[in-house]
C-alpha cells in the first residue's frame, strides 16, 4: 500500500508548467532608478517631439498611464502619430542601464527551475535584451513576449481592446468612454489573451510575476496564478507577494519539487540496480 501511494504521488502532474515574468521593477528593484528616468524621458518626448505644453505634461502623462497601461498607448489613443521605434529609442535609449548589475543569484535560481520560463513585457525587444544582458540573465528564458510580439501588424489595424464609441445618453451623468488605442499592452485582458495564445500557455497552470497590481488583477481574472513582486502585501487577486524576486525559493519551494522528485527517482533506480547486481 505504501509503495502504491508513493507511485501515485510521483505520477501526479506538476501544478505549474510555465512561469511568466514581467521585466522592469520585477527582475530588478525599483531603486535602480530606471522607472523614474523613463517617466522623465516620456515627458520630454511629449514636449520636444509632440509639442505638448510643458506645464501640464506630468499630469497628462499620469492620466494616460493610469487609463491605458502605457503612456505610448494613451498618446496613440488621443490622436498623436509617431514612429514606434523612434519613441522607444528616445524613451529607453537614455536610461541608466549602468545601474543594473549582474545578478548571479537570480540567474542560478532561474536556471535551477525545472519549469518553462517566459518573459511578458510591455517594453520593446531592444530594451528587454539590454536589461537581461545587464543582469546576466541571457539564456534563462525560453521565450520573450514584448511590444513587437503583440503589435507586429503592419496594416495599421487596431487591437480588439477598443473602447466603445457608440452614442452617449446626454441625460446620463456617466462620462463618455475613452477613445480606443491601437496599442496592445498590459493590463488589457486582450494583451494577456494574445500573449498566452502566442506562447501556447495554459493560464490555469501558469504562475505570473509582476510588480504592477493592475497587471496582477487582470492576470488573475483570466485564470493565472499570481505573484506580486516588490511588496509583501497580498491584496485582491494576489496569490503570493514577494519583497524581492530573490525570495522566490523561500516563498514557492514547490516549484523545485519536480526536480527533486526526478533526482530521487534516479537515485532510487541506481540503488535498485546496484542491489540487484549484488544479489545476483
Amino acid at each position: 500500500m505504501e509503495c502504491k501511494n508513493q507511485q501515485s504521488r510521483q505520477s501526479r502532474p506538476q501544478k505549474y508548467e510555465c512561469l511568466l515574468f514581467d521585466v522592469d521593477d520585477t527582475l530588478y528593484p525599483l531603486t535602480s532608478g530606471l522607472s523614474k528616468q523613463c517617466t522623465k524621458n516620456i515627458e520630454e518626448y511629449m514636449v520636444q517631439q509632440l509639442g505638448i505644453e510643458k506645464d501640464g505634461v506630468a499630469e497628462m502623462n499620469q492620466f494616460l498611464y493610469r487609463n491605458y497601461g502605457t503612456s505610448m498607448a494613451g498618446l496613440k489613443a488621443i490622436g498623436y502619430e509617431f514612429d514606434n521605434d523612434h519613441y522607444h529609442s528616445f524613451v529607453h535609449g537614455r536610461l541608466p542601464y549602468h545601474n543594473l548589475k549582474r545578478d548571479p543569484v537570480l540567474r542560478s535560481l532561474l536556471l535551477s527551475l525545472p519549469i518553462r520560463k517566459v518573459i511578458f513585457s510591455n517594453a520593446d525587444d531592444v530594451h528587454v535584451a539590454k536589461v537581461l544582458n545587464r543582469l546576466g540573465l541571457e539564456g534563462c528564458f525560453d521565450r520573450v513576449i514584448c511590444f513587437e510580439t503583440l503589435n507586429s501588424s503592419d496594416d495599421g489595424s487596431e487591437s480588439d481592446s477598443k473602447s466603445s464609441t457608440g452614442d452617449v445618453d446626454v441625460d446620463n451623468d456617466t462620462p463618455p468612454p475613452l477613445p480606443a488605442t491601437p496599442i496592445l499592452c498590459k493590463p488589457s485582458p486582450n494583451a494577456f489573451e494574445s500573449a498566452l495564445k502566442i506562447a501556447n500557455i495554459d493560464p490555469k497552470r501558469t504562475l505570473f510575476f509582476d510588480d504592477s497590481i493592475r497587471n496582477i488583477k487582470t492576470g488573475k481574472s483570466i485564470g493565472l496564478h499570481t505573484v506580486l513582486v516588490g511588496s509583501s502585501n497580498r491584496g485582491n487577486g494576489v496569490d503570493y507577494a514577494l519583497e524581492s524576486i530573490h525570495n522566490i525559493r523561500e516563498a514557492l519551494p514547490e516549484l523545485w519539487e519536480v526536480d527533486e522528485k526526478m533526482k530521487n527517482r534516479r537515485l532510487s533506480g541506481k540503488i535498485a540496480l546496484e542491489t540487484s547486481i549484488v544479489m545476483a
Side-chain angles (χ1 to χ4, degrees), residues 2 6 19 33 73 77 83 100 114 127 152 169 196 203 218 245 253:
E2 183 180 350
Q6 182 177 0
L19 304 178
D83 181 75
L100 300 179
H127 172 74
S152 59
D169 185 353
L196 298 182
T218 299
I245 194 66

Side-chain angles (χ1 to χ4, degrees), residues 4-22:
K4 187 175 181 180
N5 289 338
Q6 182 177 0
Q7 290 176 347
S8 176
R9 288 194 300 270
Q10 289 179 344
S11 62
R12 188 182 305 157
Q14 64 190 84
K15 184 176 181 180
Y16 305 113
E17 62 180 20
C18 182
L19 304 178
L20 193 60
F21 291 88
D22 176 45

Side-chain angles (χ1 to χ4, degrees), residues 86-137:
H86 180 256
Y87 175 90
H88 285 134
S89 177
F90 189 101
V91 170
H92 292 149
R94 299 176 298 158
L95 292 179
Y97 290 108
H98 59 272
N99 288 351
L100 300 179
K101 308 302 180 185
R102 297 184 71 83
D103 193 339
V105 173
L106 180 56
R107 179 177 179 84
S108 177
L109 284 169
L110 291 171
L111 291 178
S112 69
L113 281 163
I115 305 174
R116 183 187 182 207
K117 294 170 284 292
V118 176
I119 289 289
F120 180 25
S121 172
N122 282 338
D124 61 293
D125 55 2
V126 173
H127 172 74
V128 172
K130 283 184 178 179
V131 170
L132 295 182
N133 177 265
R134 290 294 305 181
L135 294 174
L137 302 181

